[in-house]
Amino acid sequence: MKSHFLSLSIIYIICVITACTQKEETQHKDKESSLPNIVLILADDLGYGDVSAYNPASKIKTPFIDKLASEGMRFTDAHTPSSVCTPTRYGILTGRYCWRSRLPVGVLWGFGRTFIDTSRTTLGTLLKDTGYNTGVVGKWHLGLDWVVKENFKDSLNSSSADINELGIVRDTNPEWLDFTKPPTVGANDYGFDYSFILPASLDIPPYCFLENNTLLGGLNSYTEGNDLDKGYAEAFWRPGIMSEGFSFEGVMPKFTEKAVDFISTNAKKDAPFFLYFPLNAPHTPWVATEKFKNSSQAGNYGDFVQQVDATVGQISKTLEENGISENTIIIFTSDNGPYWRPNYIEKYQHRAAGIHKGMKADIWEGGHRVPFIVKWAKDINPNTENQQPITQTALLATIAEITGVNLGNGEGEDSESLLPMLLEQEVKERKPIIHHSSKGVFAIRSGKWKLIEGLGSGGFSEPVTLQPEEGEPSGQLYDMANDPEEKNNVYLQETDIVQRLTAELEAIKRKGVR
């Protein structure tokens, strides 16, 4: 009798445990099914004034990006954390300014090594841990730890490789590397289940693809470079090693194909997905496919932008065809301002940075003010506009809040959620945002005021730097509400604002740890 009672008790306990487990699994699946898919499209060197939704006078047609803006929220005062590529990508993925890292200035080159600690929370790890299927397709430019040949292991030092003062290998000799082996650290090590990447920009070797950290096609070919006399513009790329049969014109179509495949495959699964889709365009080389050649009124650059626009349209179409557009968040933005010199403005009468001063790499607005559009049909009202200053480091905290994740200490230190703005809720005063030029010049934006440490662009535009004469300002202060073109430097007139913002900037800098 006792044995029979014990058996029934055991069966009862098993049933209770099974029911609880099934309930937890059901709740987990219900949560997963209610979470939105997320597609983050990051253009490369696209200007604020290239998109006609931002600049009606644009000589470039962007109907698909414009449609995205009409279906969601368009931010008109959005900024990249840096005016160049690598540090912006770091900031987007980690929610942290790159100048806090061991790469405080500049970018990586083609054979630069990884500098994001693999234990650091990224958009990839956050969403993977939340149950998302995650993928990255496109330009990586955050370094790869290629295997170093045994004979050259001692060569990675500051006397023989490009290593900064904090030990980051920005570039190295490709002859020292063993390309028959996969990198020991690559895109998949930052929370991405699937990766299909170009290591760096399309004008920097190596010219190749890696899929899930595996090099495709080897690196046994070589290019002498192209348009080397065009001032880093047009169909320019540097000499270097590449995969057999690598096609510069074929990179954008290949990325689009892989992104579409990732969406279509994951649309059939129960779990939500996250696709980080960093494009290689319209960064040089400006190599639009035949379909887009001579399609714009802004030369080869404009043609390439119109191919970017078509890719955005293809992504939107794929989401619609798979019946998942309603609960998919699409974020479209750019990694910095355009590479568009004054001679191109004059030639085509097209202002790639819109009304804004400067270009890529500069601390002026043209270097870091970019398009930023968010569509989420389920929760964001269509055709809305937000004029508050924001920065892309906000993405980590925003996506964490959307997915119900609480960021801990040391996670996304410079990230502040945009969700209240997206839902058009009352927004409290937000933290100042920091800008950083290619040469390490800082600026701080607080409300309508923008303070720049020093004179000049700090990037590509002339003058890069200036030494003040006696009685002249040593920095720049602009009222962005009334002077968005940064024409009137009021540094000497608004001394209280200069002192306050200088103190705020120094306090924010001091909080940084590498």
Side-chain angles (χ1 to χ4, degrees):
M1 184 73 175
K2 185 184 288 187
S3 174
H4 179 67
F5 177 76
L6 186 61
S7 298
L8 289 174
S9 298
I10 292 170
I11 291 169
Y12 174 75
I13 291 169
I14 291 171
C15 290
V16 170
I17 292 172
T18 301
C20 290
T21 302
Q22 288 175 340
K23 183 179 180 181
E24 287 177 3
E25 288 177 351
T26 301
Q27 289 174 339
H28 181 68
K29 285 183 177 179
D30 287 344
K31 181 184 178 185
E32 282 189 351
S33 63
S34 65
L35 290 173
N37 304 304
I38 302 169
V39 178
L40 169 56
I41 306 173
L42 183 68
D44 193 5
D45 286 11
L46 180 77
Y48 186 96
D50 289 327
V51 178
S52 49
Y54 286 86
N55 175 21
S58 176
K59 296 298 180 69
I60 301 170
K61 298 174 182 176
T62 55
F64 295 109
I65 300 172
D66 298 345
K67 183 173 186 289
L68 197 68
S70 71
E71 295 172 339
M73 179 173 286
R74 177 173 64 102
F75 287 80
T76 60
D77 203 349
H79 301 267
T80 59
S82 173
S83 298
V84 284
C85 172
T86 298
T88 285
R89 289 157 199 267
Y90 176 96
I92 287 172
L93 288 184
T94 67
R96 186 174 189 252
Y97 292 125
C98 193
W99 47 263
R100 298 194 193 280
S101 78
R102 291 187 296 145
L103 188 73
V105 179
V107 301
L108 294 177
W109 289 88
F111 301 99
R113 299 178 80 76
T114 60
F115 68 104
I116 304 178
D117 191 324
T118 53
S119 65
R120 179 166 289 282
T121 298
T122 67
L123 284 175
T125 60
L126 182 146
L127 289 169
K128 183 175 181 177
D129 291 347
T130 310
Y132 277 71
N133 294 321
T134 58
V136 54
V137 174
K139 169 184 165 178
W140 182 240
H141 214 164
L142 286 165
L144 297 168
D145 285 358
W146 295 104
V147 173
V148 181
K149 295 175 182 176
E150 197 63 39
N151 293 346
F152 296 100
K153 287 192 180 294
D154 295 332
S155 298
L156 291 186
N157 57 65
S158 57
S159 64
S160 56
D162 180 356
I163 299 181
N164 73 6
E165 68 278 8
L166 295 169
I168 293 301
V169 180
R170 294 178 65 243
D171 206 21
T172 190
N173 189 334
E175 293 181 3
W176 301 347
L177 306 176
D178 186 350
F179 297 115
T180 66
K181 298 176 182 176
T184 57
V185 181
N188 291 78
D189 299 286
Y190 294 102
F192 295 105
D193 299 311
Y194 174 76
S195 68
F196 186 91
I197 63 166
L198 179 76
S201 297
L202 191 52
D203 60 5
I204 301 174
Y207 304 116
C208 61
F209 297 119
L210 289 94
E211 189 167 30
N212 293 328
N213 288 353
T214 298
L215 176 64
L216 304 180
L219 279 169
N220 301 315
S221 290
Y222 186 86
T223 174
E224 298 292 342
N226 194 64
D227 277 0
L228 300 177
D229 60 342
K230 298 293 176 64
Y232 307 102
E234 300 299 337
F236 162 79
W237 66 78
R238 295 169 177 83
I241 56 175
M242 66 180 187
S243 297
E244 190 73 37
F246 184 87
S247 163
F248 290 85
E249 294 84 354
V251 172
M252 270 288 286
K254 177 58 72 174
F255 283 161
T256 305
E257 172 194 327
K258 290 291 183 178
V260 166
D261 287 348
F262 179 87
I263 292 171
S264 299
T265 299
N266 284 280
K268 300 177 178 67
K269 298 179 180 179
D270 292 333
F273 66 82
F274 167 54
L275 174 63
Y276 171 45
F277 189 24
L279 309 179
N280 62 284
H283 193 291
T284 50
W286 301 337
V287 285
T289 56
E290 199 63 38
K291 177 181 177 181
F292 296 95
K293 286 181 180 177
N294 302 313
S295 62
S296 77
Q297 297 178 46
N300 293 322
Y301 173 82
D303 299 345
F304 213 17
V305 172
Q306 293 194 177
Q307 187 169 345
V308 168
D309 182 69
T311 291
V312 173
Q314 187 63 47
I315 295 301
S316 296
K317 179 182 177 183
T318 303
L319 294 169
E320 290 166 4
E321 289 176 344
N322 283 278
I324 55 173
S325 61
E326 183 74 14
N327 196 32
T328 296
I329 299 173
I330 305 178
I331 303 163
F332 175 82
T333 187
S334 178
D335 68 342
N336 46 246
Y339 186 80
W340 195 246
R341 291 191 177 276
N343 61 306
Y344 280 100
I345 296 176
E346 185 176 349
K347 180 177 181 179
Y348 295 106
Q349 294 299 299
H350 171 69
R351 299 186 63 89
I355 65 170
H356 302 293
K357 184 177 180 179
M359 58 182 282
K360 172 182 177 176
D362 295 348
I363 198 62
W364 296 323
E365 292 291 285
H368 50 79
R369 190 185 287 225
V370 292
F372 192 99
I373 298 166
V374 185
K375 176 192 173 184
W376 186 11
K378 180 174 169 290
D379 282 293
I380 295 177
N381 289 324
N383 204 29
T384 50
E385 183 181 289
N386 190 292
Q387 299 178 355
Q388 296 186 64
I390 64 164
T391 185
Q392 292 167 343
T393 55
L395 285 170
L396 186 74
T398 304
I399 290 172
E401 185 173 6
I402 288 170
T403 55
V405 176
N406 293 317
L407 295 175
N409 291 331
E411 295 180 304
E413 298 95 316
D414 300 303
S415 197
E416 188 175 17
S417 177
L418 302 175
L419 188 58
M421 293 185 183
L422 294 171
L423 300 181
E424 299 180 85
Q425 298 171 348
E426 183 180 353
V427 177
K428 298 177 182 177
E429 184 178 353
R430 293 177 64 81
K431 299 175 185 176
I433 59 178
I434 308 301
H435 309 309
H436 199 237
S437 80
S438 64
K439 297 186 184 300
V441 174
F442 280 90
I444 180 171
R445 176 72 183 277
S446 180
K448 72 175 185 175
W449 294 108
K450 176 182 176 181
L451 174 72
I452 300 173
E453 290 190 325
L455 302 175
S457 74
F460 291 160
S461 295
E462 297 293 342
V464 176
T465 58
L466 281 174
Q467 293 302 317
E469 300 289 338
E470 186 175 349
E472 291 183 342
S474 58
Q476 302 170 69
L477 179 70
Y478 299 106
D479 176 350
M480 299 308 297
N482 298 301
D483 182 23
E485 298 176 56
E486 296 171 290
K487 290 181 175 180
N488 185 26
N489 182 5
V490 295
Y491 190 93
L492 295 179
Q493 291 76 38
E494 300 286 352
T495 54
D496 289 348
I497 300 295
V498 169
Q499 290 176 3
R500 175 173 66 82
L501 293 183
T502 299
E504 286 187 33
L505 178 56
E506 290 307 311
I508 292 169
K509 284 185 191 178
R510 283 196 299 271
K511 292 179 182 177
V513 292
R514 294 192 168 98

